[in-house]
Amino acid sequence: SEVYVIAADCVYDTARVETVPGEGLVEFHLRLRGELNLHLAGEAREVRVTGPQLLIMYQPQGVDYSEEVAPRLQDTCVSLYCKPEFISHLVRRNGIGRWPMLDEIEAHARPTILWKLLPLSVNLVFVAHNLLDNPFRKGVRLLHAEAKALDLLCDVLHSAETDVGAGVTLSEREVRQLERSE
């Protein structure tokens, strides 16, 4: 109940447009392929997320935004949603010095969305594909997804703690080559 995971690999015939209600969650959106356009209140232009990229976002309670997924493109992504308190608990419990985005969230008083767009590391691409290609069924399937969700959080927190950014990044072509080699 602390982490929510969405894994998708599909193609939409028409643009998928939806309003996303603000629930006070932190989102880690790993876009492997496709195009996502976010229309955020207070932003002069839309935020365009194309694979392979990582979008880290905090959406305060009651602050909605609109998103649009481009049609006729392979849309492959994994998103994790969790409460800031859950991340704070993980950071404290595991002796992680701090996570700068969490500091920003805790200091954030305005009703606006915080977001950061980063390249995907090789490890994040690998773990996202493991989550998408979950070979298990029934209860073990859920256990595998939980483990991979924590794996993704570890990679994001490690990158922030060691101040090395997202590490080695991959182009969309390199992601396709990795997919073919599996």
Side-chain angles (χ1 to χ4, degrees):
S1 63
E2 298 292 334
V3 177
Y4 307 93
V5 179
I6 296 174
D9 189 11
C10 57
V11 176
Y12 295 99
D13 289 334
T14 59
R16 183 187 60 78
V17 178
E18 110 180 40
T19 298
V20 180
E23 298 177 306
L25 299 174
V26 179
E27 175 182 348
F28 302 92
H29 180 78
L30 292 81
R31 177 145 300 274
L32 300 171
R33 281 213 203 121
E35 182 179 309
L36 173 68
N37 295 301
L38 306 176
H39 308 280
L40 307 176
E43 292 286 333
R45 59 187 174 90
E46 69 185 19
V47 176
R48 186 169 179 246
V49 186
T50 58
Q53 285 186 310
L54 168 65
L55 171 67
I56 302 174
M57 188 164 66
Y58 170 66
Q59 184 183 5
Q61 187 84 27
V63 178
D64 302 346
Y65 72 89
S66 148
E67 70 178 25
E68 179 179 343
V69 177
R72 295 177 297 283
L73 294 175
Q74 188 71 35
D75 184 55
T76 308
C77 59
V78 171
S79 294
L80 301 175
Y81 301 85
C82 53
K83 295 179 180 174
E85 298 82 24
F86 175 72
I87 297 170
S88 180
H89 172 73
L90 286 178
V91 167
R92 280 192 324 274
R93 183 184 81 191
N94 294 293
I96 300 169
R98 54 186 281 271
W99 185 51
M101 182 103 177
L102 189 57
D103 295 340
E104 287 180 53
I105 291 167
E106 290 172 352
H108 190 66
R110 297 178 302 139
T112 57
I113 294 173
L114 294 175
W115 61 276
K116 181 186 261 187
L117 200 54
L118 302 166
L120 277 178
S121 69
V122 173
N123 190 55
L124 283 175
V125 170
F126 179 76
V127 176
H129 277 288
N130 271 281
L131 221 163
L132 284 162
D133 300 329
N134 190 334
F136 302 104
R137 298 291 168 247
K138 299 185 180 179
V140 177
R141 185 175 183 81
L142 179 58
L143 182 61
H144 180 266
E146 288 177 23
K148 294 303 170 187
L150 287 175
D151 197 358
L152 291 171
L153 285 173
C154 287
D155 194 80
V156 171
L157 292 172
H158 173 73
S159 295
E161 183 183 53
T162 56
D163 200 28
V164 293
V168 177
T169 60
L170 300 173
S171 68
E172 191 167 347
R173 181 176 161 264
E174 290 167 321
V175 169
R176 284 193 304 273
Q177 287 175 330
L178 274 174
E179 289 170 348
R180 283 193 296 269
S181 70
E182 291 176 358

